[in-house]
Amino acid sequence: MTFSIVARCADGRRHGVAVASRFLAAGALVPAAEARVGAVATQAHANLAYRQQGLTLLRTGVAAVDVVAGLVAADPGRDNRQLGVVGTGGVGATWTGPACRPWAGGQAGDGWAVQGNILAGPHVLDAVRDAWLGGAALPFAQRLLAALRAGDQAGGDRRGRQSAGLLVVERHGGYAGTGDEVVNLRVDDHPDPVTELGRLLDIHTTMFGRPDPATLLDLAGSLADEVTALLTAAGHPVHPAGLDDALAAWAGLANLEERLVPGRIDPIVLTQLRRAPRVPAPRQPT
């Protein structure tokens, strides 16, 4: 009752899964991924054990096609399952059991696999595939979302829409480098879940994306004066300790701490600071 894509990025550092369905909280059930290992999607009459079993096999160096073959061979319920797997190299692999409800099927290529059941037709997966292959210039998470959106716009799950999810992993790519989950977003119950997932990804990218060194601005001269004035108006006056400390105090409250670079400012941080609420100046005694 779902369509999904499992994929890795061109340099192999990131793996991910994007999924949409007319099913409550599909993002809680379908995807699994492990940094430097691979990604798995289990759906239709999902076998949740496929997630850890698949990652365990990938971790030992088993190719994606052999992971799929091994999992379904050992599963008496294989005829009702769908499965997609991608590893650290080579082609992805997918399985659609013959008892999955139509339209159901899958496709796979180098570093990706797409699969779906109860779809509007095979053109849904064609759209997911084409968007993935044509989106190489996009950041990895946005590329997965673009592929999912293309399938949704092509008709997606023929019963309608309800949930969507996006999971991306990279070793030490998570918050403050302390975890591997770069993105883990879900829309569990919504009339337009893929659009809502896009909105959440935009917020996530603003708050937790790493600054682009090529766009950083030096905190000097007139820009430093502007930032000082903006911070003061927002209730974070610059004390002798310096501009960086005041900016960090404000950015921590604005959830933008991942974008801080000493002595410089990310244009995204500057834009958010310019939009920050102003703290009223204290009244002077009369």
Side-chain angles (χ1 to χ4, degrees), residues 140-165:
F140 184 64
Q142 283 79 0
R143 187 180 180 186
L144 286 169
L145 178 63
L148 194 71
R149 183 181 289 117
D152 186 56
Q153 292 173 346
D157 185 325
R158 61 182 171 85
R159 300 166 307 154
R161 302 177 172 96
Q162 187 169 8
S163 66

Side-chain angles (χ1 to χ4, degrees), residues 13-109:
R13 293 169 55 194
R14 292 189 171 188
H15 290 82
V17 183
V19 57
S21 181
R22 177 67 170 84
F23 187 89
L24 181 69
L29 302 178
V30 172
E34 183 175 334
R36 297 183 182 175
V37 172
V40 175
T42 177
Q43 56 196 51
H45 190 61
N47 183 341
L48 301 187
Y50 279 179
R51 297 179 301 181
Q52 285 307 311
Q53 290 172 354
L55 292 175
T56 297
L57 290 169
L58 288 170
R59 204 178 300 123
T60 63
V62 178
V65 65
D66 295 322
V67 170
V68 169
L71 291 177
V72 300
D75 182 2
R78 68 182 76 88
D79 285 358
N80 294 289
R81 315 288 193 206
Q82 270 197 316
L83 174 63
V85 177
V86 67
T88 57
V91 298
T94 187
W95 161 264
T96 296
C100 290
R101 298 186 183 186
W103 187 88
Q107 302 180 29

Side-chain angles (χ1 to χ4, degrees), residues 67-242:
V67 170
V68 169
L71 291 177
V72 300
D75 182 2
R78 68 182 76 88
D79 285 358
N80 294 289
R81 315 288 193 206
Q82 270 197 316
L83 174 63
V85 177
V86 67
T88 57
V91 298
T94 187
W95 161 264
T96 296
C100 290
R101 298 186 183 186
W103 187 88
Q107 302 180 29
D110 186 18
W112 60 272
V114 299
Q115 44 282 317
N117 64 95
I118 317 186
L119 300 184
H123 62 280
V124 173
L125 294 189
D126 291 343
V128 177
R129 175 203 64 207
D130 291 347
W132 169 256
L133 294 176
L138 294 171
F140 184 64
Q142 283 79 0
R143 187 180 180 186
L144 286 169
L145 178 63
L148 194 71
R149 183 181 289 117
D152 186 56
Q153 292 173 346
D157 185 325
R158 61 182 171 85
R159 300 166 307 154
R161 302 177 172 96
Q162 187 169 8
S163 66
L166 177 64
L167 174 64
V168 174
V169 298
E170 177 187 357
R171 182 62 56 88
H172 304 308
Y175 180 78
T178 58
D180 295 342
E181 288 190 350
V182 180
V183 177
N184 189 352
L185 296 173
R186 286 170 35 192
V187 178
D188 288 347
D189 186 24
H190 193 279
D192 192 1
V194 176
T195 298
E196 176 65 5
L197 186 64
R199 186 185 72 85
L200 296 179
L201 181 59
D202 286 344
I203 296 172
H204 184 280
T205 301
T206 296
M207 288 186 172
F208 306 120
R210 305 294 166 81
D212 180 355
T215 66
L216 292 173
L217 305 170
D218 290 331
L219 274 175
S222 61
L223 180 58
D225 293 341
E226 180 191 3
V227 170
T228 297
L230 290 170
L231 288 169
T232 300
H236 294 271
V238 178
H239 297 296

